[in-house]
Amino acid sequence: MATILNIETSSTNCSISIGINGELISLVEKDDAQYSHSEKLHVFIKEALKDASLSFDNIDAISVSKGPGSYTGLRIGVSAAKGLCFSLDKPLIALNTLEALSHQLEIDEGVIIPLLDARRMEVYAAVFDNNHREIRATKAEIITEDSFSEYKEGKVYLLGPGAEKCKDVVEGSNVHIIASKHVPSAREMVKLSEEKFKINDFENVAYFEPYYLKDFVVTKPKKR
């Protein structure tokens, strides 16, 4: 039986969960468009431990959402996870952000396409079947009327913060756009991290880096 601390900071939602043997014990999170993760993350970790009546000594592993997503958010989350792993001498588990997000939706048939917002009309997206198995790898892509057309013979479910960009663009009677309230959460990481713990699927803490997918672009402020 493993006790795992899960960290999710890839989007506007700063989210911490603790799972024991794949069951959710504690969840502390806040979806904040101001991206105040650097101030909240360690506070939320302490709150989650307190809610679960646990201490760092009880933690068997640290799990982190590796991306894709916000460059700054991922950097903050991964830095915190690595720091905890080093200080506690615990293994690091990395989870694909879009895979975890796909588990917020259960369907009988069709495909689930979780989308995270990138710049302008671009999103990070992957495609999963009704059993949450990846059938198309993560890509950064620009949303057009032809996006995901190869899956439209069946039901297509678009969810996540990037789904808003698909409204009035991606058409089809089988396309269902789920409300953007679905943001990545550490809640869905609990069972996924337990599965990886059972097979010792751990990262090299010293060399692990977030899955940024795209290079960070620094934008120059406009001249006044």
Side-chain angles (χ1 to χ4, degrees), residues 4-10 15-19 22-24 27 62-67 81 92-97 99-101 103-104 184-197:
I4 303 175
L5 173 68
N6 302 283
I7 299 173
E8 166 56 70
T9 58
S10 66
S15 181
I16 302 295
S17 70
I18 296 175
E23 296 295 328
L24 179 67
L27 177 69
I62 308 296
S63 167
V64 67
S65 180
K66 69 177 183 180
L92 175 66
I93 297 169
L95 298 176
N96 183 291
T97 303
E99 178 185 1
L101 180 57
H103 282 264
Q104 292 189 15
S185 170
R187 179 189 298 273
E188 285 72 40
M189 296 175 67
V190 171
K191 290 188 177 181
L192 297 176
S193 59
E194 175 69 18
E195 291 171 2
K196 285 203 169 191
F197 185 89

Side-chain angles (χ1 to χ4, degrees), residues 5-223:
L5 173 68
N6 302 283
I7 299 173
E8 166 56 70
T9 58
S10 66
S11 72
T12 53
N13 192 29
C14 183
S15 181
I16 302 295
S17 70
I18 296 175
I20 298 180
N21 200 26
E23 296 295 328
L24 179 67
I25 301 301
S26 177
L27 177 69
V28 180
E29 62 182 358
K30 183 175 183 180
D31 188 9
D32 183 359
Q34 300 303 314
Y35 279 96
S36 54
H37 300 348
S38 59
E39 292 86 9
K40 295 176 181 174
L41 183 57
H42 290 283
V43 175
F44 284 6
I45 290 173
K46 291 179 180 178
E47 288 183 12
L49 287 168
K50 183 178 180 180
D51 289 346
S53 298
L54 298 172
S55 69
F56 283 117
D57 292 336
N58 303 120
I59 299 299
D60 296 305
I62 308 296
S63 167
V64 67
S65 180
K66 69 177 183 180
S70 159
Y71 181 94
T72 302
L74 290 172
R75 180 175 52 79
I76 291 171
V78 169
S79 295
K82 292 174 70 171
L84 288 172
C85 288
F86 276 124
S87 62
L88 301 174
D89 192 25
K90 300 298 181 181
L92 175 66
I93 297 169
L95 298 176
N96 183 291
T97 303
L98 292 175
E99 178 185 1
L101 180 57
S102 78
H103 282 264
Q104 292 189 15
L105 188 64
E106 298 292 335
I107 60 174
D108 293 325
E109 59 178 314
V111 297
I112 301 170
I113 305 179
L115 305 103
L116 295 176
D117 190 15
R119 291 184 293 272
R120 300 182 179 87
M121 284 302 289
E122 196 168 15
V123 297
Y124 303 123
V127 182
F128 298 85
D129 66 15
N130 61 329
N131 292 310
H132 303 100
R133 291 187 295 249
E134 186 180 77
I135 57 178
R136 200 213 71 183
T138 300
K139 293 197 306 185
E141 53 193 301
I142 296 173
I143 293 298
T144 70
E145 61 183 8
D146 296 322
S147 294
F148 318 118
S149 58
E150 63 267 43
Y151 305 104
K152 290 181 182 178
E153 291 184 3
K155 293 182 179 180
V156 176
Y157 296 87
L158 309 177
L159 82 156
E164 289 288 334
K165 293 183 178 181
C166 298
K167 290 181 178 180
D168 303 322
V169 179
V170 180
E171 299 179 348
S173 59
N174 288 344
V175 176
H176 304 275
I177 298 178
I178 311 300
S180 60
K181 64 181 180 180
H182 288 266
V183 292
S185 170
R187 179 189 298 273
E188 285 72 40
M189 296 175 67
V190 171
K191 290 188 177 181
L192 297 176
S193 59
E194 175 69 18
E195 291 171 2
K196 285 203 169 191
F197 185 89
K198 287 179 178 178
I199 60 174
N200 296 322
D201 187 356
F202 304 135
E203 303 294 330
N204 185 314
V205 179
Y207 296 101
F208 177 73
E209 293 291 337
Y211 179 44
Y212 293 122
L213 191 59
K214 293 173 62 178
D215 293 332
F216 179 61
V217 177
V218 178
T219 56
K220 295 182 179 179
K222 294 181 179 179
K223 294 182 179 179

